[in-house]
């Protein structure tokens, strides 16, 4: 893969789909048309300075290379997609091993992220709350499905109780 069509590689490039129909065949690359997966630009209605950070996320989580066995036949490239929970995108944007945006967001909000040894870095909580709201807002105005973490856990517990009631295990 030589990079995006415009030649400018960045941290938000869509990688091509790689499909190999048989171990005997060479893999083929297929570009994802940008119109099929429009980016969600992260912004906050009360903190317009966040838009200057050019944070964005893709609309649909997709996983592939999952094995599905039906009748003894293993299908090895079963695609799966769904929707995000707000906390997934929040972690992806803020974790140090991912996009590491905690400090830039703090500075954009006018917070001092330089914590003295022994002090509690409560600025992180404020950043996470503001950014969480920004993520949820951005997906909502982009009309891209997302579930909040509180509704997600409520739905899980309803499912779990139903499983225990009907099948007695989960």
């Amino acid at each position: 893969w030589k990079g995006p069509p415009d030649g400018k590689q960045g941290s938000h490039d869509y990688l091509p789909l790689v499909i190999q129909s048989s171990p005997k065949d060479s893999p083929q690359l297929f570009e994802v048309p940008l119109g099929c997966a429009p980016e969600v630009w992260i912004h906050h209605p009360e903190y317009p300075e966040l838009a200057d950070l050019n944070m964005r996320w893709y609309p649909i989580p997709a996983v592939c290379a999952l094995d599905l066995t039906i009748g003894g036949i293993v299908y090895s490239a079963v695609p799966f997609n769904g929707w995000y929970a707000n906390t997934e995108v929040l972690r992806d944007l803020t974790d140090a091993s991912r996009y590491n945006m905690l400090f830039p967001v703090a500075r954009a909000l006018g917070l001092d992220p330089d914590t003295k040894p022994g002090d509690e870095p409560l600025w992180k909580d404020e950043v996470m709350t503001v950014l969480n709201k920004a993520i949820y807002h951005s997906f909502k105005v982009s009309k891209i499905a997302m579930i909040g973490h509180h509704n997600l856990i409520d739905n899980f517990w309803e499912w779990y109780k139903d499983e225990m009631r009907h099948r007695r295990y989960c």
Side-chain angles (χ1 to χ4, degrees), residues 1-147:
W1 186 63
K2 298 194 182 340
D6 64 6
K8 298 177 184 174
Q9 291 186 359
S11 57
H12 297 282
D13 296 338
Y14 282 98
L15 299 176
L17 300 174
V18 180
I19 298 176
Q20 183 177 16
S21 59
S22 164
K24 298 174 188 173
D25 297 332
S26 296
Q28 293 182 323
L29 301 179
F30 297 90
E31 294 287 336
V32 176
L34 292 181
C36 292
E39 295 173 315
V40 177
W41 289 85
I42 308 301
H43 63 285
H44 195 293
E46 298 169 25
Y47 299 96
E49 55 273 18
L50 290 185
D52 296 337
L53 296 174
N54 292 318
M55 291 182 288
R56 54 190 180 266
W57 206 248
Y58 48 96
I60 300 168
V63 179
C64 62
L66 297 173
D67 288 347
L68 173 66
T69 304
I70 301 175
I73 299 171
V74 178
Y75 298 90
S76 61
V78 179
F80 166 82
N81 75 351
W83 58 89
Y84 281 110
N86 57 329
T87 49
E88 291 177 276
V89 179
L90 181 66
R91 291 273 323 270
D92 286 329
L93 289 173
T94 58
D95 279 5
S97 62
R98 296 175 183 170
Y99 281 84
N100 200 20
M101 292 300 294
L102 203 58
F103 286 88
V105 171
R107 289 186 189 99
L109 296 174
L111 301 173
D112 181 10
D114 297 323
T115 309
K116 297 177 183 79
D119 286 351
E120 192 64 32
L122 296 176
W123 63 269
K124 290 181 181 183
D125 296 328
E126 190 168 346
V127 167
M128 298 292 267
T129 299
V130 169
L131 190 52
N132 192 21
K133 289 179 183 178
I135 291 164
Y136 197 81
H137 168 79
S138 300
F139 271 74
K140 186 174 182 179
V141 299
S142 297
K143 297 184 173 145
I144 304 293
M146 172 173 276
I147 189 168

